[in-house]
Amino acid sequence: QDWSCSLVVASLLGAFGSSFLYGYNLSVVNAPTPYIKSFYNESWERRHGQPIDQDTLTLLWSVTVSIFAIGGLMGTLMVKLMGKVLGRKYTLLVNNGFAITAALLMACSLQAGAFEMLIVGRFIMGVDGGIALSVLPMYLNEISPKGIRGALGQVTAIFICIGVFSGQLLGLPELLGKESTWPYLFGVIAVPALVQLVSLPFLPESPRYLLFEKHDQAGAEKAFRTFLGKEDVSREVEEVLAESRAQRNVHLVSVLELLRNPFVRWQLITVVVTMACYQLCGLNAIWFYTNSIFGKAGIPPEKIPYITLSTGGIETLAAIFSGLVIERLGRRPLLMGGFGLMALFFGILTVTLTLQDHAPWIPYLSIVCILAIIASFCSGPGGIPFILTGEFFQQPQRPAAFIIAGTVNWLSNFVVGLLFPFIQKSLDTYCFLVFAAVCLLGAIYFYFVLPETKNRTLAEISQAFAKRNKASPPEESTDSAVNDNKVSQRP
């Protein structure tokens, strides 16, 4: 009954123009890799009169792939200022300008004969991703009733998976994965951005942003009515006003102030650990190994791209499953279970890869392990980190919290891209034991530290951390954990 039409439309449109593009850009560079490298070589030879040497080509390709993460970090750092000035909805709308600009640059790079346009376009697309993965979860968290906050937040992860699958699908040779059409793979990026650009203006701004930062009670009440699908929104407005009154002397918190705040210390540590595990759990390594494992299982090379589609399909189905059960099972079991199962299957995968020449059926067991790892990741760890960041912090703290979470996310992404080739070279198939250890440590941390946040108010979540923080915010009375109208957690 909490799912209104406007809430569904806002989540779908927001995710299609935001997290979908992030997922799409993760996978879209895989299929046209040989054609892009050939384009780099031709451009270099035309300018310098000689072919590019292999080391320079490798460096240029590494920059092309990894600069997406650098752009993501830059976008994350821009979120606080943009969110304060523009609000949640209009930040998402302005962000479409980055996506359209990047799409034009990358799609026209071959025609212009300038590989720099592709690299700059990837950087700008990273900026778009950094802003989107911070602002979209914030927007969805602030417009959703607490009873479906997790399920609505999971839309972010579902569309990341759909984006990955779409990049794999469009990269097939029968579609756009050909030498003559690969620039169109990047031009497609403009379509979701344009759809969001023309449709999102008809939906309301976040009512919490309107009340807290714009002091527009009439606008907030109208937004609540639209999103909740009911006329009487006095209870929701009073909850936000109670939080606003308790924090009337609190300005928008800076990153440094949030880091120094003892009342949210363990919330911050938990967000950092969650985001680090999200990137360091080894899923990127799985993508690296997929083709070689499929090849050793006896699948013909020309059919591997089609089999690889199964990984994107499994991702999407697992993310949808998580969205359906998150409000029943809760965040904590899904996170612990997801990382625990990943550690188990990474261990089995290490054994099967080591013994794959001993029996013809062992490579097929490796394929099963790969699909199981992907499903385990997307059933919990793939989307919950973004939900928790929105649930742990009060309105004035939320932009700074998303900056910290996003910074950890993109730096970890960059570190994995930079170090994984060396780890793989030195440890070979045993590299998966490193990721198994990360997943296991993450599961143990969540078991001992993470409280369940399902269907809880901000005050109740704050109280759950108060004992570990050894501090309870001054405004909260001892019974504030059960009082829905008292949601402040900062002096």
Side-chain angles (χ1 to χ4, degrees):
Q1 62 183 3
D2 288 332
W3 290 90
S4 69
C5 180
S6 297
L7 207 55
V8 173
V9 170
S11 62
L12 295 180
L13 288 176
F16 184 56
S18 302
S19 60
F20 172 88
L21 288 180
Y22 169 74
Y24 184 84
N25 279 280
L26 288 180
S27 65
V28 74
V29 293
N30 293 334
T33 296
Y35 308 129
I36 295 174
K37 287 183 175 179
S38 176
F39 164 53
Y40 283 8
N41 188 46
E42 290 168 9
S43 301
W44 188 278
E45 190 170 359
R46 190 168 53 251
R47 294 180 195 178
H48 302 284
Q50 60 183 21
I52 191 171
D53 68 86
Q54 198 59 38
D55 290 340
T56 306
L57 181 60
T58 302
L59 176 63
L60 280 175
W61 180 244
S62 298
V63 169
T64 305
V65 174
S66 61
I67 204 166
F68 181 68
I70 302 299
L73 180 59
M74 293 293 295
T76 299
L77 298 176
M78 295 163 58
V79 163
K80 185 183 176 186
L81 179 61
M82 291 181 71
K84 181 180 180 181
V85 174
L86 300 173
R88 315 304 188 231
K89 184 180 85 169
Y90 286 101
T91 299
L92 289 174
L93 285 171
V94 169
N95 197 33
N96 292 311
F98 290 111
I100 294 168
T101 302
L104 291 173
L105 280 170
M106 294 188 288
C108 297
S109 59
L110 180 63
Q111 191 79 15
F115 60 79
E116 294 88 352
M117 291 171 64
L118 187 62
I119 295 173
V120 172
R122 285 281 294 172
F123 173 79
I124 296 174
M125 216 42 240
V127 173
D128 173 271
I131 294 171
L133 289 190
S134 294
V135 178
L136 177 66
M138 212 184 306
Y139 181 60
L140 296 181
N141 180 276
E142 291 176 6
I143 68 174
S144 60
K146 67 180 181 180
I148 60 169
R149 197 169 53 208
L152 195 72
Q154 195 67 9
V155 171
T156 300
I158 291 171
F159 271 80
I160 289 176
C161 298
I162 294 173
V164 169
F165 181 74
S166 300
Q168 293 171 339
L169 183 64
L170 292 178
L172 293 175
E174 289 80 3
L175 296 176
L176 300 178
K178 299 191 289 282
E179 188 169 10
S180 57
T181 57
W182 69 260
Y184 299 122
L185 275 171
F186 298 99
V188 166
I189 290 167
V191 175
L194 287 170
V195 169
Q196 190 184 81
L197 193 61
V198 299
S199 55
L200 204 59
F202 296 100
L203 290 163
E205 175 59 273
S206 158
R208 294 180 66 85
Y209 169 80
L210 291 173
L211 264 180
F212 253 98
E213 298 179 39
K214 291 299 181 183
H215 310 293
D216 180 5
Q217 185 166 340
E221 288 176 355
K222 184 179 177 182
F224 268 129
R225 288 191 194 99
T226 302
F227 284 131
L228 301 181
K230 60 183 184 180
E231 283 301 312
D232 183 14
V233 294
S234 55
R235 183 175 179 275
E236 287 78 10
V237 171
E238 183 52 40
E239 281 184 11
V240 181
L241 285 175
E243 184 180 348
S244 179
R245 283 192 297 269
Q247 302 186 41
R248 58 187 175 275
N249 296 321
V250 178
H251 60 284
L252 205 59
V253 175
S254 70
V255 170
L256 197 58
E257 287 171 325
L258 192 63
L259 289 171
R260 289 174 173 172
N261 188 344
F263 306 121
V264 294
R265 182 173 295 127
W266 277 96
Q267 288 95 312
L268 268 179
I269 293 172
T270 302
V271 163
V272 168
V273 169
T274 309
M275 280 298 180
C277 289
Y278 173 77
Q279 287 292 352
L280 301 177
C281 67
L283 202 71
N284 291 339
I286 286 296
W287 299 129
F288 181 87
Y289 260 92
T290 300
N291 285 3
S292 64
I293 292 173
F294 286 167
K296 285 174 180 174
I299 296 169
E302 65 274 9
K303 295 196 174 170
I304 286 178
Y306 305 96
I307 305 298
T308 304
L309 279 177
S310 65
T311 61
I314 288 288
E315 263 197 310
T316 306
L317 290 174
I320 293 172
F321 165 79
S322 179
L324 293 174
V325 302
I326 188 171
E327 296 301 349
R328 295 180 184 179
L329 298 181
R331 286 66 155 154
R332 190 168 174 267
L334 286 176
L335 265 184
M336 290 191 304
F339 279 123
L341 287 173
M342 286 181 76
L344 172 65
F345 289 118
F346 270 130
I348 298 173
L349 182 61
T350 303
V351 174
T352 58
L353 289 177
T354 306
L355 303 176
Q356 63 185 355
D357 297 326
H358 287 62
W361 54 268
I362 292 180
Y364 292 97
L365 188 55
S366 299
I367 293 175
V368 173
C369 286
I370 284 179
L371 296 178
I373 289 167
I374 292 169
S376 301
F377 175 81
C378 293
S379 63
I384 292 175
F386 302 102
I387 298 171
L388 292 181
T389 307
E391 289 182 329
F392 282 172
F393 300 95
Q394 299 284 8
Q395 189 82 10
Q397 303 165 337
R398 204 168 283 135
F402 270 99
I403 288 176
I404 294 170
T407 301
V408 173
N409 177 38
W410 289 101
L411 282 178
S412 301
N413 183 308
F414 182 73
V415 166
V416 168
L418 196 66
L419 297 183
F420 175 70
F422 300 101
I423 296 173
Q424 188 266 330
K425 187 176 180 181
S426 57
L427 297 178
D428 197 28
T429 56
Y430 293 101
C431 68
F432 290 113
L433 293 178
V434 176
F435 303 123
V438 170
C439 293
L440 186 60
L441 290 172
I444 292 171
Y445 176 87
F446 298 130
Y447 178 79
F448 286 106
V449 176
L450 180 67
E452 182 52 69
T453 60
K454 177 185 69 172
N455 208 25
R456 281 179 153 185
T457 64
L458 293 172
E460 290 167 341
I461 296 169
S462 175
Q463 281 294 314
F465 277 105
K467 184 177 179 182
R468 195 171 292 277
N469 286 326
K470 295 189 171 79
S472 187
E475 295 93 343
E476 294 186 7
S477 61
T478 54
D479 62 345
S480 65
V482 292
N483 187 347
D484 278 355
N485 291 331
K486 285 191 177 182
V487 261
S488 173
Q489 66 180 56
R490 177 180 166 82

